Amino acid sequence: MMGAPNEVRVAPDVMIRLVRAMFARAGCSETEAACIAERLTGANLRGHDSHGVIRVPRYLEWAESGRQKIGQTVETVMENDVMAILDGNYGFGQTIGEQTVDIGLKKVKQHGLALTALRNSGHLGRIGDWAERAAEAGVASLHMVNVRGSLLVAPFGARERRMGTSPFCIGIPVEGQDPVVHDFATSTVAEGKALVALRGGKALPEGALIDADGALTSDPWPLYGDVPEGKAPMPYEGPGALTAFGGHKGSGLNFMMEMMAGALTGSGCAGGPGEPERRRFCNGMLSIYIDTEKFDGQDSMAEEIKSYIAFVKSARTADGHSEVLVPGENERRVMAERQAAGLPLAAAAWSDILGSARNLGFTEAELNALTAA
Ligand code: NAD
């Protein structure tokens, strides 16, 4: 393990081994522990540290408190040929998400079009995982996600929290090459990026947060406030908020995510008036699947996508840019680099993970064995 000062580099397979052992020790089956470890590490590999292993301490706290439950299977609330309303029963989103997408894929392969409406899921992590899983089956997909019980974002024109970070994701398979996947939070930055910055990682852009006085800032403190010694930082303790991306347009898209993934799925919106307690945390996800193989002109679709990618990338660059990227390209670049050089982690985030392992009862000898190259 090496890296810049205040940074460690951890090989992806070491990280998977450690996180997998930790979740197995916490009570997950080997399959579930592996799924959680691979997906969290996969987010780091693609450059989304916000949705990677930095979440390990928090997930473990949630499993212990029962806020997120180990070993769950999606329950079907309503089903017909082309749609399924599913209840995740607060299970780990890594496994609940996989089960949900697989139900959608089974239906779309028969009928060409399908929809899943998932309620009460534990944290679904990086939503691009679900679009990539669909794309591997030749399926284009769209995922609208809300976060009930997670008031983090101020709507456009406000300094108070009323919204979650509600990610939006669209993926389309491209024959013979990687899919095009656009996957982003509708806040200026995902909450986890503020967490990464708070733990000494990459700094946030100016205006990513608004403080209680209504001033825009890049400081993550207004989200977390002071973090008690030995506790994982919680983004509900600070007096400020994240901002929505793209002014009124991004704020409106975030609002619509609450409509589709919160109200329509039955999962519930981020919050409601007059509630003294926060709603129980969960992700809702409305997903639409389109089987591209059912369309005539398969070849022309692939050719059209490939030629459009080339056209977009041929645009003359703006000041400060050396290249035009298309959705998903950055993730692939980062993955190639990190597979070779290891995952960069702020030293504080790595020490939080090891601290959680010790809390689970791992000895120093066990930790040395798990983290050995
Ligand atoms: P981001 O701001 O890094 O944006 C990522 C998207 O922008 C990707 O599609 C990427 O390919 C594209 N992109 C990046 N650089 C580009 C460039 N130079 N040119 C063109 N396109 C470019 O992502 P984010 O908003 O920080 O979200 C991070 C992750 O957090 C996502 O995976 C999201 O699903 C996840 N998330 C999950 C939840 C949840 O509750 N489960 C909530 C919020 C966010």
Side-chain angles (χ1 to χ4, degrees):
M1 250 159 294
M2 51 188 295
N6 295 324
E7 182 190 283
V8 291
R9 284 260 174 185
V10 185
D13 58 333
V14 168
M15 188 59 86
I16 290 173
R17 189 164 66 215
L18 173 66
V19 174
R20 179 181 176 155
M22 288 173 71
F23 281 95
R25 180 74 62 94
C28 292
S29 68
E30 277 301 326
T31 313
E32 186 169 44
C35 177
I36 295 167
E38 281 160 22
R39 293 216 173 272
L40 290 182
T41 306
N44 285 87
L45 262 175
R46 290 167 179 79
H48 291 293
D49 300 348
S50 59
H51 284 70
V53 295
I54 199 163
R55 304 243 165 193
V56 167
R58 198 185 283 176
Y59 275 14
L60 288 166
E61 278 186 25
W62 288 353
E64 203 185 328
S65 68
R67 192 172 168 195
Q68 195 158 288
K69 296 197 278 180
I70 285 168
Q72 301 301 306
T73 308
V74 286
E75 197 182 305
T76 304
V77 179
M78 188 289 261
E79 186 176 26
N80 63 26
D81 286 352
V82 293
M83 68 181 279
I85 302 176
L86 304 164
D87 194 319
N89 198 26
Y90 303 98
F92 272 87
Q94 285 69 24
T95 44
I96 294 296
E98 260 187 34
Q99 294 165 25
T100 299
V101 172
D102 289 351
I103 290 169
L105 292 181
K106 200 167 164 205
K107 289 182 184 299
V108 78
K109 282 291 159 191
Q110 285 174 322
H111 303 287
L113 183 69
L115 178 149
T116 53
L118 173 65
R119 56 173 78 154
N120 302 330
S121 172
H123 189 245
L124 286 160
R126 179 184 164 262
I127 304 306
D129 279 356
W130 315 127
E132 284 169 11
R133 194 171 180 85
E136 274 166 29
V139 170
S141 65
L142 179 152
H143 309 267
M144 285 172 272
V145 177
N146 87 321
V147 203
R148 191 186 73 203
S150 177
L151 293 175
L152 298 173
V153 180
F156 181 68
R159 70 177 74 174
E160 258 190 299
R161 307 170 179 213
R162 288 290 185 273
M163 299 167 151
T165 54
S166 298
F168 184 53
C169 175
I170 298 182
I172 187 148
V174 189
E175 209 190 325
Q177 62 186 59
D178 289 316
V180 183
V181 175
H182 196 34
D183 167 33
F184 59 94
T186 49
S187 45
T188 306
V189 295
E191 182 269 314
K193 290 209 164 114
L195 180 62
V196 169
L198 188 81
R199 302 318 269 158
K202 193 175 170 200
L204 299 175
E206 201 51 46
L209 290 99
I210 186 160
D211 70 18
D213 298 325
L216 295 172
T217 176
S218 59
D219 181 359
W221 186 87
L223 201 60
Y224 299 93
D226 294 325
V227 181
E229 190 65 35
K231 284 273 168 205
M234 288 316 242
Y236 308 107
E237 308 299 334
L242 294 171
T243 53
F245 89 104
H248 62 283
K249 299 184 187 183
S251 184
L253 183 60
N254 180 308
F255 184 92
M256 287 308 184
M257 227 73 84
E258 293 291 347
M259 301 295 99
M260 300 297 263
L264 197 141
T265 63
S267 203
C269 295
E275 290 176 324
E277 299 292 329
R278 267 194 322 119
R279 292 181 168 190
R280 183 170 179 178
F281 178 95
C282 75
N283 272 152
M285 177 163 76
L286 187 91
S287 304
I288 296 168
Y289 310 85
I290 301 162
D291 187 2
T292 60
E293 286 161 11
K294 294 275 191 296
F295 285 73
D296 281 331
Q298 259 300 306
D299 293 345
S300 76
M301 184 186 111
E303 283 321 303
E304 193 65 15
I305 294 173
K306 286 175 194 172
S307 87
Y308 187 64
I309 289 173
F311 179 54
V312 167
K313 289 187 70 62
S314 71
R316 275 199 303 134
T317 55
D319 289 349
H321 293 261
S322 57
E323 192 185 0
V324 178
L325 300 180
V326 295
E329 202 173 357
N330 195 45
E331 283 75 6
R332 284 196 293 280
R333 296 264 170 98
V334 176
M335 185 144 87
E337 187 264 317
R338 291 188 174 185
Q339 255 155 355
L343 311 173
L345 274 189
W350 179 235
S351 127
D352 287 349
I353 294 169
L354 295 178
S356 294
R358 292 187 186 102
N359 290 343
L360 284 166
F362 283 94
T363 63
E364 294 310 310
E366 284 177 313
L367 285 182
N368 287 340
L370 283 166
T371 57

